[in-house]
Amino acid sequence: MPDCVFCKIAAGEIPCRQAYEDDSVLAFYDIHPQAPVHILIIPKAHIACGAAEVTEENSALVGRCFEAAARLAKELGVTGGFRIVTNNGPGAGQTVSHLHFHLLAGRELGLTMG
Ligand code: AMP
Ligand code: ZN
């Protein structure tokens, strides 16, 4: 297994507050939440580094992550809107080199994205 914190969470070696799981996707609450709802959605498979490594071979997992996001937004009753963010590379603030999506909700998220 890669020396990767999200792979260790997916393997159950590091605990998390789980929000959703299926055969290929895991969602869990971010330890440093930036919104009242801040969930990380990851493919269980290690896709390093991030969005830049999405290919024809693995892009179905991106769809599965977005399916999980839609399901979570419904389950959590997110009504005021939500945002899905993925950071790619240190210049964009990426700190964990395993493809993941931030699901943010529960506060006014503003119109700026940069
Ligand atoms: P990024 O900066 O886009 O790579 O996002 C990585 C996110 O992972 C950050 O928001 C961290 O707070 C979060 N994070 C790191 N380690 C853990 C952990 N063990 N459990 C939950 N969230 C984590
Ligand atoms: Zn990983």
Side-chain angles (χ1 to χ4, degrees):
M1 187 200 302
D3 184 20
C4 164
V5 62
F6 287 177
C7 282
K8 288 180 178 157
I9 289 173
E13 291 178 14
I14 293 176
C16 70
R17 184 180 160 211
Q18 190 174 303
Y20 173 76
E21 180 177 27
D22 64 29
D23 57 333
S24 58
V25 169
L26 180 68
F28 53 94
Y29 285 83
D30 198 293
I31 38 167
H32 297 303
Q34 295 182 34
V37 174
H38 187 171
I39 293 172
L40 298 170
I41 303 169
I42 68 167
K44 288 181 175 176
H46 182 79
I47 299 177
C49 303
E53 305 304 324
V54 174
T55 64
E56 197 174 347
E57 282 70 42
N58 64 27
S59 62
L61 289 169
V62 176
R64 298 292 297 271
C65 288
F66 273 72
E67 285 179 49
R71 175 193 283 252
L72 281 163
K74 284 192 191 79
E75 281 178 6
L76 296 169
V78 167
T79 53
F82 63 88
R83 181 167 291 158
I84 297 170
V85 174
T86 188
N87 298 317
N88 191 93
Q94 185 179 13
T95 56
V96 178
S97 184
H98 177 134
L99 179 66
H100 57 279
F101 300 93
H102 300 254
L103 174 63
L104 300 155
R107 66 167 166 80
E108 179 56 56
L109 292 163
L111 297 178
T112 56
M113 284 188 276

